[in-house]
Amino acid sequence: MKYSGVISRYREYLPLPGDAEPITLLEGNTPLIEADNLRRALGAPCKIFLKFEGANPTGSFKDRGMTVAMTKAVLDRAEAVICASTGNTSASAAAYAAKAGLNAFVVLPKGKIAVGKMAQALIYGAKVIEIDGNFDDALRIVREIGEKTKVVIVNSINPFRIEGQKTASFEIIETLGGAPTHHSLPVGNAGNITAYWKGYVEWGAKHGTSLPKMLGFQAAGAAPIVRGKVVKHPETVATAIRIGNPASWKQADQALEESDGQIGIVTDKQILFAQRLIASTEGIFCEPASASSVAGLKKLVAKGCFTQKDTVVCTLTGNGLKDPDTASRDIKPPLRAKPVLNDVLKLMNVK
Ligand code: F0G
């Protein structure tokens, strides 16, 4: 059957009228890849699967939520949408607004948006506004604009975003034939951990599937939930999760508690190591923030937290091509040869 996007696929689970015409770029239906090489590299006893959300149309999981939020905005006759973003939400909002014929405004922390994400927002035609502040400042301003004007907020404080994002859990359960025992993912504004948990719980209530333990990871310099207090000046190489005061903090705490899960810290060094490990063992290029799910898994494996009976899914939330600068830093540069056969052969060092 022709694939038509997450709204068509999971309409009965979404709070949209049955006849609503989806604003879609055919998001979702992303690969769930068994990562046996990675499992061996980590010395993990459990099965590991990677849900590669970088395969979505704008290169991140945000598209799942944006199709639902934008469809709802059109139903409500909105003329414009707005979001604060560390880059991916703005790329997705700009793309779906273009498809819907709506104006998009995006408010971004100056100098902290990966180059590909900025290019996306601009080329999709959003009005991009940079502020001398961080994501938390941007979201505060956007909330006020949402109160003062008719412009619709499409951050994950918009419940339709969470509704769309929960479909990733549905896909995982359908592909595996059941829920995994553990689900690992990066935590920034905490919308996605909220959405995954909602998805697992709702599917479980309807179909009797089990519930995974949720494993969340924050960057060491931006770990308000782990530390139990707002981080005023969050810092991390994983700019996507450079957030000090997550909007869905309470919901994340609830998901962690209800699932008997845990939230931990990963350093920038561990994040970048994991990003390269995923790429070099599995052939998947994810962005730094995404790699925190695997960096965190690596720490738990070393502590002996898993057995052969466990299945862990790690969400790789975004595509590495969005942030080539970070990926190329501290990496061996290309070899150089003169444009003659023997020079190239010499460098290849093969017979
Ligand atoms: N991974 C990536 C690649 C992200 O872009 C984000 C969030 C997260 C993980 C964390 O997800 O916020 O739901 O906990 N990016 C937002 C943005 C903040 O503006 O693009 P979360």
Side-chain angles (χ1 to χ4, degrees):
M1 208 177 69
K2 191 170 133 244
Y3 183 74
S4 313
V6 298
I7 294 179
S8 301
R9 179 70 189 82
Y10 294 112
R11 195 183 279 267
E12 64 195 288
Y13 300 87
L14 298 170
L16 290 171
D19 58 354
E21 189 63 41
I23 304 297
T24 181
L25 295 169
L26 308 191
E27 61 295 314
N29 198 23
T30 54
L32 183 68
I33 302 156
E34 181 153 16
D36 231 23
N37 298 333
L38 181 64
R39 181 184 63 74
R40 274 193 295 277
L42 298 180
C46 52
K47 284 190 171 167
I48 300 173
F49 288 85
L50 304 173
K51 180 72 168 160
F52 187 43
E53 290 290 277
N56 275 298
T58 78
S60 87
F61 69 96
K62 307 285 181 181
D63 295 348
R64 292 179 185 277
M66 210 52 78
T67 181
V68 181
M70 206 64 71
T71 299
K72 174 67 177 159
V74 169
L75 281 176
D76 293 346
R77 304 189 185 286
E79 283 173 15
V81 297
I82 189 166
C83 66
S85 185
T86 55
N88 280 324
T89 300
S90 50
S92 187
Y96 282 79
K99 183 73 173 173
L102 301 184
N103 291 316
F105 301 95
V106 307
V107 186
L108 308 176
K110 192 172 156 217
K112 295 293 178 181
I113 304 294
V115 59
K117 301 175 188 179
M118 179 61 87
Q120 286 182 289
L122 292 168
I123 201 156
Y124 294 135
K127 186 161 276 183
V128 176
I129 302 161
E130 290 184 326
I131 58 161
D132 268 321
N134 59 33
F135 170 86
D136 305 293
D137 298 317
L139 185 57
R140 173 177 44 80
I141 293 165
V142 163
R143 281 183 195 270
E144 285 175 30
I145 291 170
E147 278 166 23
K148 286 201 163 70
T149 71
K150 286 189 186 153
V151 180
V152 172
I153 300 176
V154 291
N155 281 103
S156 58
I157 54 174
N158 176 333
F160 290 86
R161 279 276 315 279
I162 303 289
E163 291 294 327
Q165 282 172 216
K166 77 185 178 189
T167 60
S169 299
F170 299 169
E171 287 178 13
I172 290 166
I173 294 172
E174 291 204 288
T175 307
L176 294 178
T181 55
H182 300 76
H183 190 116
S184 177
L185 77 174
V187 175
N189 211 26
N192 213 25
I193 192 169
T194 303
Y196 268 96
W197 181 240
K198 189 169 199 284
Y200 283 122
V201 167
E202 286 182 11
W203 194 276
K206 190 158 178 195
H207 303 282
T209 46
S210 58
L211 299 172
K213 292 185 198 308
M214 300 302 294
L215 310 173
F217 293 98
Q218 300 196 293
I225 300 181
V226 178
R227 300 191 198 284
K229 60 170 197 266
V230 171
V231 176
K232 283 224 175 88
H233 302 289
E235 249 347 309
T236 168
V237 70
T239 51
I241 52 171
R242 187 175 168 273
I243 293 173
N245 188 13
S248 299
W249 190 328
K250 266 199 211 121
Q251 294 90 322
D253 274 343
Q254 202 180 331
L256 292 163
E257 195 186 312
E258 287 177 11
S259 75
D260 190 24
Q262 51 178 306
I263 187 154
I265 281 178
V266 284
T267 64
D268 281 3
K269 203 171 155 195
Q270 289 167 335
I271 289 172
L272 294 177
F273 179 85
Q275 185 193 25
R276 277 175 208 170
L277 189 66
I278 299 160
S280 61
T281 59
E282 296 295 339
I284 303 170
F285 185 18
C286 68
E287 63 175 288
S290 311
S292 351
S293 60
V294 170
L297 172 65
K298 181 172 184 286
K299 286 178 79 173
L300 297 185
V301 166
K303 282 194 201 157
C305 292
F306 304 101
T307 72
Q308 272 180 336
K309 288 188 189 146
D310 291 326
T311 298
V312 186
V313 172
C314 297
T315 303
L316 302 181
T317 45
N319 198 309
L321 293 170
K322 284 170 175 275
D323 189 2
D325 296 342
T326 305
S328 331
R329 224 181 284 161
D330 305 326
I331 211 161
K332 263 203 214 153
L335 305 170
R336 280 216 181 135
K338 293 204 187 82
V340 288
L341 175 65
N342 277 345
D343 265 34
V344 175
L345 270 177
K346 212 185 326 170
L347 288 175
M348 286 171 67
N349 199 21
V350 292
K351 287 198 186 110

